């Protein structure tokens, strides 16, 4: 089991993005187990997603896909 409290991300190129799945592998990741996602159209833009009041939760596995971005997860 896992809980995510905060995600901070910055796109390193235009269109940088990330997706968090409740999955063990890339093959098992699908639209049905997406927990959150984020993207920025412009390089070096970013934001912080704060889930401290209601953490994102999963029980299968924490699988993170990152494309052209830096992502920091605060989780347990």
């Amino acid at each position: 089991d896992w809980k995510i409290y905060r995600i901070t991300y910055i796109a390193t190129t235009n269109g940088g993005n990330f997706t968090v799945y409740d999955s063990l592998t890339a093959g098992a990741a699908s639209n049905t187990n997406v927990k959150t996602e984020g993207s920025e159209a412009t390089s070096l833009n970013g934001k912080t997603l704060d889930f401290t009041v209601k953490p994102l939760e999963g029980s299968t596995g924490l699988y993170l896909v990152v494309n052209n971005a830096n992502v920091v997860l605060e989780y347990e």
Side-chain angles (χ1 to χ4, degrees), residues 13-76:
T13 63
N14 293 346
N17 62 74
F18 75 92
T19 306
V20 175
Y21 296 94
D22 186 16
S23 172
L24 291 175
T25 64
S30 70
N31 289 338
T32 60
N33 54 15
V34 170
K35 289 299 185 173
T36 192
E37 56 191 356
S39 65
E40 285 293 336
T42 307
S43 179
L44 302 180
N45 282 357
K47 53 180 82 159
T48 298
L49 305 175
D50 190 349
F51 304 106
T52 53
V53 174
K54 185 178 179 195
L56 294 177
E57 296 185 42
S59 58
T60 303
L62 177 54
Y63 192 80
L64 177 64
V65 176
V66 179
N67 294 302
N68 301 315
N70 292 325
V71 178
V72 176
L73 296 178
E74 295 178 39
Y75 72 100
E76 66 175 334

